[in-house]
Amino acid sequence: MHADLTLSASTLIAFALVLSRMVGVFVFVPMPVKEAGPSVARIVFAFASALALFPEWPSIAAANVTLATMVEWLIVEAALGMAIGLMVSFITEWLTFGAQILGLQAGYGYASVVDPTTQADSDVLPVLAQLTSGLLFFTTGLHRYVISAFAASLNKYPPGQFVVTQDLTRTVVKLASHVFSVGLRLALPVIGLLLMAEVALALLGRVNSQLHIGMQAFPAKMLLTLATLASVLVVVPVLYQAFAGEVFETIKRSFTP
């Protein structure tokens, strides 16, 4: 005789709370999917991650949980997940920011493609940087650190006990400021080289006014950018892993016991 599969109310409540926390983070986790936001792929990943964390599910007395308490816990859990997801998203935003600066300086801002994450027209370099960063996220195994951080956060912040503090807000703002600094570190060498090229072309055109340097400056800058990007991209994985290590160290201090 086959045994009937039964799920207690406490188990279902614990699953709903963990799933709410996981959905919050997967809203911001970089994924090379067709659409932005909680698409089917993100929901499937969140559902699978919640099931993988079954040993860490909290033990809840279902008799003491009311509808108002359940709604409050779901909101708090989603807020905690979005806080971690927002910090994780900074790992990829610096690369997109650096590519945006390069695209404006090198002239690639005139060319646009369809961004697969938003289905809107966007510049070429930022779209390539966004897709590359999403692939690097899973290639380097950073998704495992996200799941382990959630497993630890279930012990430090049981359902309904997470509170947004000023220290956490300052930490998120500080990490957001690092997005600009790391992105500039990537873009400034190429920008400096483009500036030197513009000065050289301007001096050459000043010396010999019969040369139409202005017509050749635009394609020269684009070719120079492609040549320098080949060497700059070598250090991208190093910067990516270094900044990812800083982000996950911050997450470990903030959300793990």
Side-chain angles (χ1 to χ4, degrees), residues 156-252:
K156 184 174 182 179
Y157 294 106
Q161 295 187 10
F162 174 72
V163 178
V164 179
T165 60
Q166 293 183 356
D167 292 337
L168 179 60
T169 304
R170 284 193 294 265
T171 300
V172 174
V173 173
K174 183 179 179 181
L175 283 179
S177 65
H178 289 178
V179 172
F180 300 97
S181 61
V182 180
L184 286 175
R185 287 174 58 188
L186 176 67
L188 281 180
V190 183
I191 294 176
L193 185 60
L194 292 177
L195 180 61
M196 294 175 60
E198 289 185 355
V199 173
L201 292 175
L203 292 176
L204 184 61
R206 185 68 174 176
V207 171
N208 193 344
S209 59
Q210 296 180 355
L211 296 176
H212 299 285
I213 302 298
M215 299 178 59
Q216 307 299 328
F218 187 75
K221 289 172 58 179
M222 297 184 68
L223 291 175
L224 184 61
T225 302
L226 288 178
T228 53
L229 277 179
S231 59
V232 171
L233 289 178
V234 177
V235 301
V236 168
V238 179
L239 289 175
Y240 191 90
Q241 291 183 346
F243 188 54
E246 180 183 355
V247 170
F248 280 105
E249 183 64 27
T250 304
I251 292 176
K252 183 178 179 180

Side-chain angles (χ1 to χ4, degrees), residues 107-115 120-127:
Y108 286 96
Y110 290 96
S112 62
V113 295
V114 177
D115 189 350
D121 291 339
S122 182
D123 296 341
V124 176
L125 289 183
V127 172

Side-chain angles (χ1 to χ4, degrees), residues 12-206:
L12 294 176
I13 293 175
F15 172 72
L17 295 175
V18 175
L19 181 62
S20 177
R21 185 177 296 192
M22 295 303 299
V23 169
V25 72
F26 275 101
V27 171
F28 295 99
V29 166
M31 296 179 62
V33 295
K34 182 179 178 181
E35 298 177 356
S39 60
V40 177
R42 296 178 185 272
I43 295 175
V44 170
F45 271 104
F47 187 85
S49 300
L51 292 179
L53 293 176
F54 174 75
E56 302 295 334
W57 286 6
S59 178
I60 300 174
N64 300 327
V65 179
T66 62
L67 180 60
T69 303
M70 187 64 184
V71 172
E72 180 183 359
W73 283 357
L74 289 175
I75 295 175
V76 171
E77 293 299 304
L80 191 151
M82 287 188 288
I84 297 180
L86 184 62
M87 297 171 71
V88 173
S89 67
F90 293 153
I91 300 175
T92 62
E93 288 301 324
W94 71 269
L95 187 58
T96 306
F97 174 72
Q100 182 69 38
I101 298 177
L102 289 179
L104 293 175
Q105 298 296 325
Y108 286 96
Y110 290 96
S112 62
V113 295
V114 177
D115 189 350
T117 59
T118 60
Q119 299 299 308
D121 291 339
S122 182
D123 296 341
V124 176
L125 289 183
V127 172
L128 292 177
Q130 187 175 7
L131 294 177
T132 302
S133 61
L135 293 176
L136 283 175
F137 182 83
F138 291 96
T139 302
T140 54
L142 296 181
H143 58 286
R144 296 194 296 267
Y145 291 96
V146 176
I147 297 176
S148 62
F150 264 87
S153 68
L154 290 173
N155 296 324
K156 184 174 182 179
Y157 294 106
Q161 295 187 10
F162 174 72
V163 178
V164 179
T165 60
Q166 293 183 356
D167 292 337
L168 179 60
T169 304
R170 284 193 294 265
T171 300
V172 174
V173 173
K174 183 179 179 181
L175 283 179
S177 65
H178 289 178
V179 172
F180 300 97
S181 61
V182 180
L184 286 175
R185 287 174 58 188
L186 176 67
L188 281 180
V190 183
I191 294 176
L193 185 60
L194 292 177
L195 180 61
M196 294 175 60
E198 289 185 355
V199 173
L201 292 175
L203 292 176
L204 184 61
R206 185 68 174 176

